[in-house]
Amino acid sequence: MAIIETEAALHEAHRDNHTHRDVNGGWLRPAVFGAMDGLVSNLALMTGVAGGSVGQQTIVLSGLAGLAAGAFSMAAGEYTSVASQRELVEAELEVERRELRKHPQDEEAELAALYQARGVEPELAREVARQLSRDPEQALEIHAREELGVDPGDLPSPTVAAVSSFGSFALGALLPVLPYLLGASSLWPAVLVALLGLFLCGAVVAKVTARTWWYSGLRQLALGGAAAGVTYALGALFGTAVG
């Protein structure tokens, strides 16, 4: 009796601890990508303009324009991309729904064949497919997962993706501009704040990946610093040529 209770307790503890992070949410990818893109692109834009030996007002105006243009562009792009993907999935689901309605026996046999291909005994596979096919909506959900690899009840939201992209890009793009808005008169405070922001974003991203925080942070720092350095050099070169 004690052994049974111990096994039950271990099973319960395992069930409570065995959890996974959300890897299919519609907000994580655009939010992370938006913040990184906002930081790198606006930092590169501002350093490129500063390399041309222009005035402080021009640098700030370029940063604010880059923030607005990039945020709206990211939001529109994410909305269109996710909406198109969702519409494609919904169209395929409608095809599957129609097939289930017109040819239920064929679809049930197809589902049984899928289970057999995964090692289930033929008789058991047919029985499982028969029972699961009783409810049309449940059958649709199972066919969608098995054949399309999607969950009909958990499709990404275009609005969530667009809002996440807009907000995260704007937040990231604001960091290089912020020192100027607070009274800085040179480019270096903006560069330092932006690079620190890149390191912190990389470290935060490591929380949802297998990378260590310092590796992810240094990687983003190096990429952002390289982009800023190259665009500054190009700005200086073009500024000299134009001037």
Side-chain angles (χ1 to χ4, degrees):
M1 183 65 178
I3 295 176
I4 296 176
E5 291 177 351
T6 302
E7 290 179 349
L10 290 173
H11 176 74
E12 184 68 23
H14 174 74
R15 187 179 65 181
D16 290 340
N17 294 328
H18 190 70
T19 58
H20 294 282
R21 290 164 290 191
D22 179 17
V23 296
N24 294 319
W27 64 271
L28 181 59
R29 182 184 63 84
V32 171
F33 179 73
M36 296 294 185
D37 192 26
L39 270 165
V40 174
S41 63
N42 220 29
L43 174 62
L45 172 64
M46 293 174 64
T47 53
V49 172
S53 300
V54 299
Q56 175 182 339
Q57 183 178 4
T58 303
I59 298 174
V60 175
L61 182 60
S62 298
L64 292 175
L67 185 158
F72 281 110
S73 176
M74 283 286 294
E78 281 294 334
Y79 185 91
T80 302
S81 174
V82 175
S84 299
Q85 179 186 9
R86 184 182 179 111
E87 289 165 1
L88 174 62
V89 172
E90 288 175 343
E92 292 301 314
L93 289 175
E94 185 57 35
V95 171
E96 192 64 37
R97 185 178 286 107
R98 186 166 57 249
E99 288 299 312
L100 284 168
R101 186 171 59 251
K102 291 183 177 180
H103 309 289
Q105 297 301 323
D106 292 341
E107 292 297 309
E108 181 179 319
E110 182 179 338
L111 187 60
L114 285 173
Y115 290 138
Q116 289 183 47
R118 294 186 176 184
V120 180
E121 296 181 358
E123 183 177 350
L124 179 59
R126 288 192 295 270
E127 178 61 20
V128 171
R130 184 187 67 81
Q131 293 188 29
L132 293 177
S133 299
R134 292 173 179 172
D135 182 355
E137 287 304 314
Q138 178 177 257
L140 175 64
E141 180 179 339
I142 294 172
H143 278 275
R145 288 179 175 175
E146 295 291 341
E147 298 176 28
L148 303 176
V150 298
D151 183 353
D154 191 28
L155 298 181
S157 167
T159 302
V160 170
V163 171
S164 298
S165 294
F166 184 94
S168 59
F169 185 99
L171 182 61
L174 179 63
L175 288 182
V177 187
L178 196 58
Y180 282 104
L181 298 179
L182 295 177
S185 57
S186 66
L187 180 64
W188 290 112
V191 172
L192 292 176
V193 169
L195 293 180
L196 177 60
L198 281 170
F199 180 83
L200 291 176
C201 282
V204 170
V205 169
K207 294 296 184 180
V208 293
T209 66
R211 294 289 187 182
T212 57
W213 65 270
W214 57 266
Y215 176 87
S216 184
L218 288 177
R219 180 176 59 182
Q220 295 303 325
L221 178 64
L223 292 174
V230 170
T231 53
Y232 184 87
L234 291 174
L237 178 63
F238 295 151
T240 301
V242 173

